[in-house]
Amino acid sequence: MSITLNTTMSSIMTNKRRVGALKSLGVVTVGDALTYYPFRVADPVPLRALREARIGERMAFSASVRGMRVVPMNVRRGYRLEAMVDDGDFAVSRHVAGAAARLVFFSYKKQYVDWLSMRLRSGAIVVIAGEPSEFNGQLQFTHPEIMTVAPGSGPADGEYSGVVQMSALKYDADTVEAGLRRISRPRPVYHASSRISSEHIHESIVQCIELLAGTGQDLPGDAATEAPQTMKPMEDGGISGAGTAPADAESRSGNAVAVGLARAIPDVLPESVRESNHLLHRAEAFLAIHDPLSTADFKRAIGTMRYEEAFVSQTALLQSRSNVRKDAALPCAGVALRDRFIESLPFPLTGGQREIIDDIGVDMAREYPMQRLLQGEVGSGKTVVAVAAMLQAAGSGHQAVLVAPTQVLAEQHHATISAMLCAIDGVETGDDPSRDALSPNDPADLIKAAESAADDGDAKGRTAVKHPVKHSGARRGKQDGAAHANTRHVPVILLTGGMKLAARRRALALAASGDPCIIVATHAAFSKTFQAPNLALVVIDEQHRFGVEQRESLRAKNDVVPHLLVMTATPIPRTAAMTWFGDLDISWLTELPGGRKPIRTFIVPEDDGRMMGSMFAHIRGRIDAGERAYVVCPRIDADDESDGDDDTSGASQIGVYDDSDTYRRESATAAANTTTSAPSQEDGDGAPSRPPLHSVAEIERRLSSLPQFRGIRFATLTGRDDDATKQQVMADFADGATPVLVATTVIEVGVDVPQASCIVIFDADRYGLSQLHQLRGRVGRGGTDSWAFLISRAEDGGPAQQRLQVIQGTLDGAQIAQADLEFRGAGDVLGDAQSGGKSGLKLLRVVKDAKIIADARERAGRLLADDPDLSGEVELAGAVLDFTRGNETFLTSS
């Protein structure tokens, strides 16, 4: 059978239980096995004679078997195998006297015991590694690793040259020296589970390497494994035709396995790139990662594969960026309406806003599509920039669509944009004394300005729009969810999945007409019924909440590709943005509106009753002063098994910071590498139990019974609520009828109530830093003092406590984003759709490897400049194609 990287593990492995265990780890093919990287290597095992043994410290030595017996266990079913060994010859080389020790193995399976008995027959020479203990005054090794040594002399240089067969036996090493060198080498340690140990993962991967190299040998029988062993049958059968351990050579280049593997695994990196960076061949790297000669060997190999990931990903991003410029777009050069809008604003734009609007204007005037990522802090004025871009499209005779992740946010955008357009020509642009008093990015101020313009006698047929939260879109006018607010300049159309059928049809008809307009939509914009034949611009708000397939559906609706503006308030460091959004031009809004007071953040231990009581009393005082308070919980109700809100469009998943999960991984790894018990006997992970997450229903019930909130009405909001309920809840909260809102993370994005001054986040130690920063941004939007209280059950000084201290110590989104990446990794920060496990990036670290990414991007750019189609780099072209096909969520706009 010809083995390739695409060969499935199930087709070469007879042990179906192990196939299932590997599949649960994401290892389905041979290629998956080779890229299931260990997270560290164990230290080399020191060579010691038995008289030099230290109880509890691993050691390696060679010995002769002096006797062996198998004893049935009467009380428990199964067998105990005992072998007496002495290290006389090895001890002489260590200049100490020889000694004896007992090797003990336990097994329920007779076949395994018989196989082991054959290996440990009297007179056999073995190499042993294990942890010594003492039993009845004698040195003992329980389930040690053993390698059998062929009798007689081996190769002159002592190299292990493969399995040596004499009579009916197969030996693991030619000589004692080769066996000692093999068994004492550093061992890779993998993330394991209760179903499969790290040692068994290592064994499976090593034998996959042998099969690829064409050096595999049949394993004896179909015996079962009871403990980690270097050479033994795999648990309940092994890999069909698999060999033993790979060849142990001082030089990889002369090794048969390395040579064979190089034929089976061609290199991906261009030779010039590999040589200039002193990198290994891809086959050498795989061999050195999973079977390292030394710790330095392992680190160099990991560095090679890390650079390969950077080079392939950056090549894919640059190719995507170049390919987009071959598409045709609708040029939007009309800026008159945009400029009139800017002049009508009751506040001056910040320097950052002005610069980004100009950059977008230049991009949209071109005949190929703009692709730009706009990142800004909460309240930095991204909406104004987006409206200016959409007005440039509408002013050029085309359509623009703004897609928001939730209906609440879509309705707020619709009301805010309508108010902004109502203010065109309706607000004095001269020296208005009230101008400086307005917050330059507060939607409430914009709407007040629009209402004032209408009340002052604006007789041009425009309609003032009420507060976006209070009236929530569908409550405007005749309460029929009218989808369209006319202005003299351009209609603003609202399209959501929760609209009444008649209003939805009107909105779809207006969009399908092709007339210049601005469309504000939710996921309804991705439906087949939505048609905008004159679409020139797509604005995506909170980009990580949408899949690439959804964004592609908008681009595929027309013959020309619309310009794309992606916005996010999730802070992403520049190195991460270069990695994840390298095919986009990136703009940062860093200036916050003047007059905004910093949010004071406090960490409150939940078991500190006095501090909790003071916090609730403070919140009551703010409510009595006419302000509002959010209370955020990670679960909807006590029966909710999932961590987080089930509103897929609104709530981010939490629970990634389960300290017990770290403990589970470490426990599994420790169990996999221990020599005192068989991994097949593991019954569980031994993880400590953690208290359940708080739920909205529970907290609302508890808070409403507190004396601090006597007479205060509470409301709840979750992703399970229907649209009408959400609208009513938000209206009552904005009105002050229910001044305390207990909600899930559905409020994380888009909810804007200027009167809200306090937010309480339960189980804060279970959220990511960027998400906490987003939630905290829900308060302090009205210019008043504001507070954020992070309720925690984390241990003092632990990792969870350290994360919360980052949030407490800074309001700088960039610092928080970098800390979040360092704590969690890029995947969790950027959302599940772009997690590291699904992105194909298993080794690259966007913070620590910034220099690698930059170097790879520069070299990839030079390569593509000379060879855009990679016709001269076939393997790289294939890797880029595989990466792109399997990782569409990585390429934001491709």
Side-chain angles (χ1 to χ4, degrees):
M1 176 181 180
S2 178
I3 306 298
T4 68
L5 292 176
N6 295 322
T7 302
T8 60
M9 299 295 288
S10 59
S11 66
I12 61 174
M13 185 177 286
T14 61
N15 179 358
K16 301 307 177 186
R17 186 169 59 180
R18 183 173 292 190
V19 169
L22 290 171
K23 185 177 181 180
S24 68
L25 298 175
V27 177
V28 178
T29 66
V30 172
D32 294 334
L34 266 60
T35 56
Y36 190 79
Y37 300 115
F39 63 90
R40 68 179 179 90
V41 287
D43 294 331
V45 180
L47 299 180
R48 291 175 185 159
L50 290 176
R51 290 193 180 275
E52 299 172 308
R54 303 172 188 173
I55 301 300
E57 294 186 15
R58 283 179 61 83
M59 58 176 284
F61 63 98
S62 67
S64 300
V65 180
R66 295 307 179 204
M68 183 271 299
R69 65 171 183 162
V70 176
V71 181
M73 293 184 289
N74 297 325
V75 177
R76 295 163 29 184
R77 66 183 180 88
Y79 307 88
R80 183 179 76 251
L81 184 150
E82 296 181 358
M84 293 299 300
V85 298
D86 76 67
D87 68 340
D89 294 337
F90 178 73
V92 170
S93 67
R94 303 283 298 178
H95 307 292
V96 296
R102 180 190 292 114
L103 311 182
V104 181
F105 301 86
F106 299 93
S107 177
Y108 297 124
K109 300 177 182 178
K110 185 66 163 57
Q111 187 180 23
Y112 170 76
V113 172
D114 291 343
W115 177 79
L116 199 58
S117 300
M118 181 175 62
R119 293 167 61 82
L120 293 175
R121 71 195 186 287
S122 181
I125 301 173
V126 292
V127 172
I128 301 165
E131 186 176 301
S133 60
E134 189 175 355
F135 182 74
N136 288 338
Q138 188 171 30
L139 202 62
Q140 176 173 297
F141 294 82
T142 305
H143 282 283
E145 299 177 38
I146 61 170
M147 293 182 67
T148 57
V149 180
S153 59
D157 59 359
E159 275 193 11
Y160 172 65
S161 59
V163 176
V164 180
Q165 186 164 352
M166 305 185 89
S167 302
L169 297 178
K170 295 179 180 178
Y171 298 99
D172 303 330
D174 294 333
T175 66
V176 169
E177 291 78 6
L180 288 172
R181 194 164 57 246
R182 173 80 192 157
I183 207 166
S184 64
R185 273 166 40 180
R187 188 66 55 88
V189 182
Y190 302 82
H191 285 302
S193 69
S194 59
R195 297 180 62 184
I196 185 169
S197 69
S198 174
E199 185 63 29
H200 285 153
I201 294 171
H202 178 236
E203 184 181 60
S204 301
I205 295 174
V206 162
Q207 297 190 46
C208 284
I209 289 175
E210 282 209 320
L211 286 174
L212 276 172
T215 61
Q217 305 275 341
D218 290 335
L219 287 177
D222 203 26
T225 292
E226 292 295 330
Q229 305 259 343
T230 298
M231 279 307 304
K232 61 184 181 300
M234 299 170 69
E235 188 175 7
D236 291 339
I239 294 179
S240 302
T244 62
D248 178 16
E250 297 301 330
S251 172
R252 295 285 189 196
S253 59
N255 188 296
V257 174
V259 173
L261 201 61
R263 290 195 297 265
I265 306 176
D267 210 353
V268 167
L269 292 174
E271 186 71 17
S272 60
V273 173
R274 185 166 67 84
E275 290 182 354
S276 62
N277 285 277
H278 308 290
L279 303 175
L280 297 172
H281 187 282
R282 195 168 196 243
E284 288 183 287
F286 280 137
L287 194 55
I289 287 172
H290 299 293
D291 190 39
L293 296 170
S294 64
T295 302
D297 193 27
F298 173 82
K299 290 180 178 179
R300 185 184 178 196
I302 286 290
T304 294
M305 298 311 298
R306 182 172 289 137
Y307 191 91
E308 180 186 294
E309 286 187 356
F311 196 86
V312 171
S313 64
Q314 292 305 305
T315 303
L317 287 167
L318 291 174
Q319 265 199 335
S320 172
R321 182 188 182 102
S322 176
N323 290 337
V324 166
R325 297 196 173 187
K326 299 176 183 178
D327 297 329
L330 293 173
C332 301
V335 296
L337 182 59
R338 181 201 72 179
D339 292 344
R340 285 172 52 206
F341 160 71
I342 294 173
E343 291 173 1
S344 71
L345 292 173
F347 50 78
L349 294 179
T350 65
Q353 287 175 313
R354 181 75 261 184
E355 180 180 354
I356 293 172
I357 288 174
D358 290 341
D359 290 342
I360 290 174
V362 173
D363 289 347
M364 291 181 61
R366 297 190 176 110
E367 295 185 351
Y368 59 83
M370 171 187 73
Q371 295 203 124
R372 185 170 291 275
L373 169 68
L374 174 58
Q375 178 183 321
E377 291 280 359
V378 175
S380 60
K382 296 186 299 296
T383 302
V384 173
V385 174
V387 172
M390 290 188 288
L391 286 176
Q392 181 170 338
S396 301
H398 306 302
Q399 296 172 307
V401 60
L402 168 62
V403 186
T406 66
Q407 179 163 330
V408 171
L409 183 55
E411 290 171 345
Q412 177 179 308
H413 277 319
H414 177 257
T416 303
I417 294 170
S418 298
M420 288 178 175
L421 299 190
C422 284
I424 296 179
D425 295 336
V427 175
E428 292 295 328
T429 58
D431 296 330
D432 185 350
S434 65
R435 183 178 181 124
D436 293 336
L438 293 172
S439 171
N441 299 291
D442 193 336
D445 288 339
L446 292 170
I447 293 167
K448 288 176 183 178
E451 292 173 342
S452 174
D455 294 340
D456 286 343
D458 182 5
K460 298 180 180 179
R462 296 186 294 272
T463 303
V465 181
K466 300 299 182 182
H467 193 284
V469 176
K470 177 178 177 180
H471 295 275
S472 298
R475 299 183 67 198
R476 295 186 309 275
K478 298 180 180 180
Q479 304 290 322
D480 65 347
H484 145 229
N486 286 315
T487 73
R488 189 173 67 115
H489 308 284
V490 58
V492 183
I493 302 169
L494 176 66
L495 177 64
T496 71
M499 296 171 62
K500 292 183 179 180
L501 182 59
R504 181 182 176 87
R505 284 177 175 173
R506 287 197 299 272
L508 290 172
L510 288 168
S513 69
D515 293 338
C517 63
I518 292 175
I519 305 157
V520 182
T522 57
H523 291 71
F526 305 125
S527 68
K528 294 181 180 179
T529 58
F530 175 73
Q531 297 294 329
N534 195 19
L535 184 62
L537 173 66
V538 174
V539 181
I540 302 291
D541 194 13
E542 291 302 324
Q543 58 79 29
H544 62 279
R545 307 233 177 198
F546 298 96
V548 169
E549 295 80 4
Q550 293 173 318
R551 294 193 290 269
E552 276 295 300
S553 69
L554 282 175
R555 296 181 57 179
K557 290 180 183 290
N558 302 313
D559 294 333
V560 295
V561 177
H563 301 284
L564 176 68
L565 176 62
V566 173
M567 300 194 301
T568 181
T570 301
I572 305 170
R574 291 175 184 265
T575 52
M578 182 171 61
T579 304
W580 292 92
F581 309 112
D583 60 336
L584 303 177
D585 295 311
I586 304 174
S587 299
W588 277 269
L589 272 177
T590 57
E591 299 173 71
L592 291 178
R596 175 166 294 191
K597 297 182 179 179
I599 303 169
R600 283 171 279 186
T601 305
F602 298 90
I603 301 172
V604 181
E606 189 172 344
D607 57 2
D608 189 335
R610 181 177 179 181
M611 195 170 181
M612 291 282 286
S614 299
M615 176 189 71
F616 291 134
H618 171 80
I619 293 173
R620 175 58 188 264
R622 304 320 306 164
I623 292 173
D624 290 342
E627 297 171 8
R628 316 280 188 271
Y630 296 104
V631 179
V632 179
C633 304
R635 300 174 67 187
I636 298 176
D637 53 48
D639 297 328
D640 182 21
E641 296 181 358
S642 64
D643 291 336
D645 202 332
D646 64 349
D647 180 5
T648 57
S649 65
S652 299
Q653 189 114 14
I654 71 159
V656 295
Y657 280 137
D658 190 344
D659 290 340
S660 64
D661 182 55
T662 302
Y663 180 86
R664 278 196 295 272
R665 289 196 296 265
E666 292 177 352
S667 297
T669 298
N673 290 281
T674 182
T675 59
T676 59
S677 62
S680 60
Q681 308 303 319
E682 294 179 11
D683 295 325
D685 50 31
S689 60
R690 296 195 64 181
L693 298 170
H694 290 299
S695 67
V696 169
E698 167 212 354
I699 293 299
E700 189 274 336
R701 184 173 59 253
R702 286 172 53 184
L703 296 186
S704 59
S705 65
L706 292 176
Q708 291 95 329
F709 296 112
R710 187 175 291 112
I712 298 296
R713 290 182 57 195
F714 285 74
T716 61
L717 182 68
T718 73
R720 292 181 186 172
D721 296 329
D722 57 43
D723 295 330
T725 301
K726 290 178 181 178
Q727 294 164 10
Q728 185 63 52
V729 166
M730 291 308 304
D732 291 343
F733 182 61
D735 288 341
T738 53
V740 180
L741 179 61
V742 185
T744 58
T745 52
V746 72
I747 68 162
E748 177 186 348
V749 175
V751 175
D752 182 17
V753 180
Q755 298 91 341
S757 63
C758 297
I759 184 167
V760 179
I761 305 174
F762 279 90
D763 294 304
D765 51 300
R766 303 287 290 276
Y767 291 83
L769 299 187
S770 293
Q771 190 174 25
L772 287 174
H773 184 56
Q774 283 271 60
L775 289 168
R776 179 172 60 180
R778 296 306 100 202
V779 299
R781 304 171 75 87
T784 61
D785 291 331
S786 54
W787 297 263
F789 301 98
L790 310 179
I791 312 302
S792 169
R793 290 181 278 190
E795 295 182 1
D796 289 340
Q801 185 78 1
Q802 294 174 15
R803 290 192 296 268
L804 295 183
Q805 288 171 352
V806 171
I807 288 289
Q808 184 183 36
T810 182
L811 295 171
D812 187 333
Q815 292 184 22
I816 292 171
Q818 178 150 337
D820 208 8
L821 281 171
E822 291 171 351
F823 278 121
R824 294 204 289 171
D828 295 316
V829 172
L830 298 175
D832 291 337
Q834 293 170 323
S835 64
K838 296 179 182 179
S839 72
L841 298 183
K842 299 183 178 182
L843 296 173
L844 198 63
R845 305 159 301 185
V846 294
V847 175
K848 295 182 179 179
D849 297 327
K851 291 183 179 180
I852 292 178
I853 295 168
D855 182 82
R857 188 175 184 84
E858 180 184 353
R859 293 179 186 274
R862 292 202 299 265
L863 177 65
L864 290 173
D866 297 333
D867 187 4
D869 298 326
L870 298 177
S871 56
E873 298 290 344
V874 178
E875 296 300 332
L876 176 61
V880 169
L881 184 61
D882 291 341
F883 180 87
T884 305
R885 283 177 175 172
N887 300 277
E888 289 84 0
T889 53
F890 180 89
L891 301 171
T892 301
S893 58
S894 64

